[in-house]
Amino acid sequence: DAKTTQPTSMDCAEGRAANLPCNHSTISGNEYVYWYRQIHSQGPQYIIHGLKNNETNEMASLIITEDRKSSTLILPHATLRDTAVYYCIAATTDSWGKLQFGAGTQVVVTP
Amino acid sequence: KAGVTQTPRYLIKTRGQQVTLSCSPISGHRSVSWYQQTPGQGLQFLFEYFSETQRNKGNFPGRFSGRQFSNSRSEMNVSTLELGDSALYLCASSPGDSEKLFFGSGTQLSVL
């Protein structure tokens, strides 16, 4: 699976949009980009995933560049409850549960 | 739907003992994966079961084993516990057709 690179940390003001970047320059054609987050002392939570088209759900939007070498997760209106570690992962549909969680991005939402 | 349930929530064992952790997946989910999380190594994949068969395995010693029952519930076992096995053990379930995993809250294992 392709390696992903994320900033170590970022701050965001409550109510503003949070834009979380991820680089995956070696991603292969059959690998999806998955985003998870982990709030302290809880298990990771699935956010969104996509292959090449932009995706949106009730939690976030995922913007994937045309060359698929990078993506951005957008939390449209950050709240204090969005403070968490966010993981960007590249995986195929037959990864069979094996996700390569890196160090992720620690996002702190401040009032 | 009820979420993924892991029991027990906390466990304290001593070196050399063995331990069994339990995971009940979301109803209808046939895939169960196990992860170990430590401050130093982060989240690491242990193994995955689908319809009672192990489909994938991470890079852990043979002391770590698992199984899945016909109702999709899963157990993992760690034998001859070492201090380094202290970790949060997470279970995740999915229908098995994507990597959209639903995680439980984990079992915090402390080995003394």
Side-chain angles (χ1 to χ4, degrees), chain A residues 1 17 19 21 24-25 28 30-31 34-35 49 51 54-55 59 62-64 68 70-71 83 89 93 98 101 104:
Chain A
D1 295 337
N19 296 293
H24 31 79
S25 58
S28 60
N30 63 344
E31 286 183 300
Y34 285 82
W35 282 85
H49 76 282
L51 185 62
N54 298 337
E55 303 286 345
M59 288 183 68
L62 173 60
I63 308 298
I64 303 174
R68 301 211 325 122
S70 66
S71 60
T83 292
I89 302 165
T93 54
K98 185 175 183 179
F101 286 88

Side-chain angles (χ1 to χ4, degrees), chain B residues 70-92:
Chain B
S70 58
N71 62 358
S72 293
R73 191 177 70 84
S74 178
E75 289 180 347
M76 70 161 281
N77 183 276
V78 187
S79 62
T80 320
L81 284 166
E82 301 177 359
L83 296 179
D85 297 334
S86 294
L88 179 66
Y89 289 88
L90 291 156
C91 163

Side-chain angles (χ1 to χ4, degrees), chain A:
Chain A
D1 295 337
K3 178 178 168 56
T4 62
T5 305
Q6 300 176 251
T8 303
S9 64
M10 62 183 294
D11 294 334
C12 177
E14 189 178 20
R16 305 293 293 269
N19 296 293
L20 284 62
C22 178
N23 286 319
H24 31 79
S25 58
T26 61
I27 196 168
S28 60
N30 63 344
E31 286 183 300
Y32 287 73
V33 178
Y34 285 82
W35 282 85
Y36 283 79
R37 72 180 183 184
Q38 187 173 24
I39 296 169
H40 185 61
S41 299
Q42 297 182 21
Q45 177 189 23
Y46 166 84
I47 301 173
I48 198 167
H49 76 282
L51 185 62
K52 48 186 172 182
N53 297 322
N54 298 337
E55 303 286 345
T56 295
N57 62 20
E58 65 280 1
M59 288 183 68
S61 294
L62 173 60
I63 308 298
I64 303 174
T65 59
E66 193 169 338
D67 63 8
R68 301 211 325 122
K69 292 186 177 181
S70 66
S71 60
T72 301
L73 179 75
I74 301 172
L75 308 177
H77 304 288
T79 71
L80 299 179
R81 288 175 294 182
D82 292 323
T83 292
V85 178
Y86 287 76
Y87 299 98
C88 169
I89 302 165
T92 62
T93 54
D94 57 357
S95 293
W96 297 341
K98 185 175 183 179
L99 298 178
Q100 302 280 4
F101 286 88
T105 297
Q106 172 67 65
V107 173
V108 177
V109 181
T110 55

Side-chain angles (χ1 to χ4, degrees), chain B:
Chain B
K1 272 186 179 179
V4 177
T5 303
Q6 291 189 246
T7 56
R9 185 69 178 94
Y10 300 95
L11 205 48
I12 299 175
K13 292 286 187 179
T14 56
R15 280 184 301 173
Q17 288 186 311
Q18 67 95 24
V19 67
T20 299
L21 311 181
S22 180
C23 173
S24 293
I26 291 172
S27 177
H29 286 189
R30 297 166 65 188
S31 168
V32 174
S33 304
W34 288 89
Y35 284 79
Q36 180 196 67
Q37 185 171 28
T38 60
Q41 298 297 318
L43 279 152
Q44 292 187 290
F45 173 77
L46 280 156
F47 30 65
E48 187 256 9
Y49 286 86
F50 181 86
S51 294
E52 302 179 68
T53 300
Q54 186 181 88
R55 286 197 304 188
N56 207 351
K57 189 176 186 302
N59 188 27
F60 277 82
R63 299 186 298 106
F64 292 81
S65 63
R67 60 177 175 169
Q68 187 181 34
F69 302 95
S70 58
N71 62 358
S72 293
R73 191 177 70 84
S74 178
E75 289 180 347
M76 70 161 281
N77 183 276
V78 187
S79 62
T80 320
L81 284 166
E82 301 177 359
L83 296 179
D85 297 334
S86 294
L88 179 66
Y89 289 88
L90 291 156
C91 163
S93 76
S94 81
D97 56 357
S98 78
E99 302 315 314
K100 183 177 177 180
L101 307 184
F102 296 83
F103 283 82
S105 297
T107 294
Q108 183 67 55
L109 172 65
S110 297
V111 182
L112 306 178

